[in-house]
Amino acid sequence: MEANTGTAPHAPSADRTAPHTPAADGTTPPRALATEAVHAGRDDLAEMGLHAPPIDLSTTYPSRDSRAEAARIDAFAAEGVVDDGPPVYARLGNPTVARFETALARLEGTESAVAFASGMAALTAVLLVRGSARLRHVVAVRPLYGCSDHLLTAGLVGTEVTWVDPAGIADAIRPDTGLVMVESPANPTLAELDLAEVARACGTVPLLADNTFATPVLQRPAESGARLVLHSATKYLGGHGDVLGGVVACDEELARGLRQVRFATGGVLHPLAGYLLLRGLATLPVRVRAASATAAELARRLTADPRVDHVHYPRLGGAMVAFEVRGDPHEVIAGVRLITPAVSLGSVDSLIQHPASISHRVVDAADRRSAGVSDRLLRMSCGLEDVEDLWRDLDRALGPVPVTIPAPAATGTVGATATEGLRGAARGRTAAAR
């Protein structure tokens, strides 16, 4: 198993708390993450006489006080301020979506969160906000999700990107640098970065960390100094493969700019999607821990398999595993029957895909390979099926075991840090859900 570089945060403990939980009387202690996942965004329901959050599908809202409405729109247009008054128009905000934003901000430990129609809409909004301040230069570390890479490289929203190794971040920053962007664990190699060290290298430039793979169950980048935490909410936050969305958790200053861009460009999250995402958060800790235990076990078996050259599994743990096969990866994709051969990840069912053909196809082939995305790499998102059923399906798809190739010695392919990832995931199996 290949060891990923960088020092990852330690495996999460069962008693970790969400630091921004508001105390009703000033003395209530912070609640554990598992508790927040269930209750954040729903705290007022009992007082309303409700158990399930309501879905507000209105596109517009009546108001007979047009002067007050005009003042509220002026404040929003000027500063992105959202007050406690009645809604005006769904493109400015929606009560159901706001519940999801409140909950996600609490889980990530940030002041605010702003939701969008997709993860790419969320990233686009960040780039537009920084660009509007004449800070169009971005420093980024590969690998990133393929479409994120493409958006930066193509300059479609006026950005200029400098790709660097983590050690080169500080030297690459210029007066017009508006953002440093990283993803850890990275898509699809699961390479990890020391986010605190990266944040120090950024200085005063905001760090955006894509936390889609880890989720706040495994790490909270804001605790390490990231000012923006990006999620493709389509993945683990939704968790069932039936909702599209994106969200940025950040401080309120940046959130105001993001709301302005969302209003102007129209990349809003539909309220039904907001409802499904809020529902998905309730089971997020349980799902991530269960799927992570399965991923760790599959990574262990793949590491010892002579049909596999390298296995990538993060020290942080998680439900993603990537591996490079010695045979034809396309045959593996065609051979699975229980595992779904499809792009995306984070669902209750397991998915497998070939990054060089799909998720990272839009990245230049040379850039793909230099970032560690080989043509024989497969990426698997482990779901909630029984691990033995998944292994039987994967074992069959990998084909016959070659008799002329000896199984690799454990010390030859398993790095100490990768082994620690498996141990951390094993600890996660026995830890209480937070």
Side-chain angles (χ1 to χ4, degrees), residues 179-192:
L179 192 71
V180 174
M181 182 172 180
V182 301
E183 184 174 353
S184 181
N187 186 353
T189 66
L190 305 176
E192 297 171 275

Side-chain angles (χ1 to χ4, degrees), residues 142-400:
R142 280 188 171 118
L144 297 175
Y145 167 51
C147 287
S148 298
D149 189 310
H150 177 66
L151 180 64
L152 294 176
T153 303
L156 294 173
V157 291
T159 56
E160 176 191 351
V161 61
T162 298
W163 296 100
V164 297
D165 291 328
I169 290 174
D171 291 338
I173 291 175
R174 309 185 322 207
D176 64 338
T177 301
L179 192 71
V180 174
M181 182 172 180
V182 301
E183 184 174 353
S184 181
N187 186 353
T189 66
L190 305 176
E192 297 171 275
L193 299 174
D194 184 332
L195 292 177
E197 184 176 321
V198 170
R200 286 191 292 270
C202 293
T204 60
V205 176
L207 169 63
L208 183 150
D210 189 324
N211 202 33
T212 299
F213 276 23
T215 80
V217 176
L218 299 181
Q219 70 178 7
R220 296 194 199 104
E223 294 177 348
S224 298
R227 281 193 67 190
L228 301 121
V229 182
L230 174 68
H231 285 273
S232 172
T234 308
K235 313 305 192 296
Y236 290 104
L237 303 190
H240 293 75
D242 57 5
V243 59
L244 198 68
V247 63
V248 179
C250 57
D251 55 66
E252 177 59 20
E253 178 185 354
L254 287 169
R256 290 178 179 181
L258 291 172
R259 294 187 196 109
Q260 290 174 297
V261 169
R262 182 177 64 182
F263 171 69
T265 61
V268 297
L269 183 70
H270 191 276
L272 182 56
Y275 173 85
L276 291 173
L277 291 173
L278 181 64
R279 187 177 68 170
L281 291 184
T283 59
L284 178 66
V286 176
R287 287 187 287 103
V288 168
R289 288 188 177 281
S292 296
T294 294
E297 175 59 19
L298 291 180
R300 185 189 67 81
R301 297 186 188 190
L302 288 167
T303 297
D305 197 300
R307 296 165 294 183
V308 175
D309 265 336
H310 298 289
V311 176
H312 306 262
Y313 188 72
R315 287 162 295 180
L316 190 68
M320 302 297 299
V321 60
F323 54 99
E324 297 172 47
V325 296
R326 292 185 174 177
D328 185 348
H330 301 284
E331 293 298 320
V332 179
I333 295 294
V336 293
R337 292 296 178 266
L338 175 65
I339 302 166
T340 303
V343 72
S344 198
L345 57 113
S347 184
V348 290
D349 62 316
S350 297
L351 309 174
I352 193 169
Q353 64 111 352
H354 182 238
S357 295
I358 307 179
S359 65
H360 289 70
R361 190 65 179 178
V362 292
V363 180
D364 179 79
D367 291 333
R368 272 202 314 265
R369 296 184 185 112
S370 66
V373 186
S374 79
D375 290 340
R376 293 185 292 115
L377 182 73
L378 294 172
R379 189 196 74 188
M380 183 171 172
S381 167
C382 297
L384 302 182
E385 303 95 337
D386 185 87
V387 67
E388 297 300 335
D389 290 329
L390 291 174
W391 176 248
R392 277 192 291 270
D393 192 42
L394 198 55
D395 179 46
R396 182 172 55 249
L398 285 168

Side-chain angles (χ1 to χ4, degrees), residues 42-127:
R42 304 170 177 85
D43 296 301
D44 62 334
L45 294 182
E47 295 177 3
M48 297 171 64
L50 299 173
H51 184 240
I55 307 175
D56 189 330
L57 296 174
S58 298
T59 58
T60 190
Y61 299 86
S63 173
R64 289 185 170 84
D65 191 347
S66 56
R67 292 185 182 89
E69 200 164 69
R72 295 177 62 225
I73 291 176
D74 286 346
F76 184 89
E79 299 181 12
V81 175
V82 175
D83 61 25
D84 295 328
V88 176
Y89 185 58
R91 195 149 41 84
L92 277 80
N94 172 272
T96 307
V97 172
R99 289 182 180 277
F100 165 65
E101 293 172 330
T102 296
L104 194 277
R106 295 252 281 272
L107 293 182
E108 283 290 4
T110 60
E111 286 183 298
S112 303
V114 184
F116 295 85
S118 69
M120 291 308 301
L123 175 57
T124 298
V126 173
L127 297 176

